[in-house]
Amino acid sequence: LGQPPSPILTRWATWLDAAFYYTRHLPQVRQIVGELERDGVLLTRAKNSVENESLVQDLIDIQQHYHQLSTLVMKLQDRQCTITKAVAYVADIDFGADPCGVGTYLKKRLDSNEIMSIANCSRAEISPLVYSYLHNCQATSAEVERSFSILNKLLAKDRHFLPANIRCY
């Protein structure tokens, strides 16, 4: 099975990747957890979790309606993803019945975001030349924000690594 993915709350879609992993491997995970013989709070919770009656249906719903979302997030984070491409990617995604309202939420967020005024060239004070530049700008700043986070660790006074490790960072 390999190690299950560890969702990171601040990383987009990692919790979906974890759900997709359990959608593929739930019978094997149930077997492994069921064979554990030790007692303890964590093991009891794990056993109760994998035997939860609604787990299978919930995983099916996530897989059926949101399997495209993880791929979309990866595309949007790519350096080569421009604003024009990002708007097209989001417009092309179909969430089906969308039981959690993710599609509605995305549409609402996009409609209130400056990115749509750039994509639609709707601001009179911006010249067509500037719009042509803006259309080719990177859609997200996720990679930049992560590099700032690493730089912050490098420059921290209380860093816990040797100067020889700086090259790794």
Side-chain angles (χ1 to χ4, degrees):
L1 291 179
Q3 185 172 358
S6 298
I8 303 168
L9 294 178
T10 57
R11 280 281 172 102
W12 303 344
T14 57
W15 60 273
L16 276 173
D17 293 335
F20 299 149
Y21 172 89
Y22 289 106
T23 301
R24 285 187 304 274
H25 301 294
L26 186 61
Q28 295 93 332
V29 170
R30 280 182 170 164
Q31 180 182 353
I32 291 167
V33 171
E35 291 174 358
L36 296 172
E37 295 179 7
R38 296 184 193 154
D39 288 332
V41 175
L42 292 179
L43 189 54
T44 303
R45 286 183 184 173
K47 287 182 178 184
N48 290 340
S49 294
V50 296
E51 296 303 328
N52 185 321
E53 291 179 20
S54 67
L55 179 61
V56 172
Q57 188 58 50
D58 292 343
L59 288 172
I60 290 170
D61 288 344
I62 291 169
Q63 180 68 40
Q64 285 181 340
H65 301 291
Y66 303 112
H67 68 278
Q68 301 174 60
L69 195 54
S70 183
T71 306
L72 173 67
V73 168
M74 295 308 293
K75 287 180 181 179
L76 293 176
Q77 289 181 6
D78 184 34
R79 279 186 184 174
Q80 305 304 316
C81 182
T82 63
I83 289 175
T84 303
K85 288 180 184 176
V87 170
Y89 291 152
V90 173
D92 287 346
I93 199 162
D94 178 21
F95 293 112
D98 196 12
C100 295
V102 173
T104 305
Y105 173 78
L106 280 177
K107 183 174 177 3
K108 180 180 169 185
R109 289 294 305 264
L110 277 175
D111 288 345
S112 67
N113 195 304
E114 190 67 22
I115 199 168
M116 290 311 291
S117 70
I118 293 169
N120 297 329
C121 304
S122 61
R123 292 181 50 189
E125 72 273 11
I126 297 178
S127 73
L129 178 63
V130 172
Y131 272 126
S132 71
Y133 293 143
L134 289 172
H135 282 204
N136 292 311
C137 285
Q138 201 170 343
T140 67
S141 61
E143 189 171 324
V144 174
E145 291 170 15
R146 289 184 190 125
S147 64
F148 280 139
S149 177
I150 291 170
L151 183 61
N152 190 28
K153 287 181 183 180
L154 278 173
L155 299 176
K157 291 180 182 179
D158 63 342
R159 63 183 179 261
H160 299 290
F161 59 88
L162 302 172
N165 294 338
I166 290 177
R167 186 178 312 173
C168 293
Y169 283 94

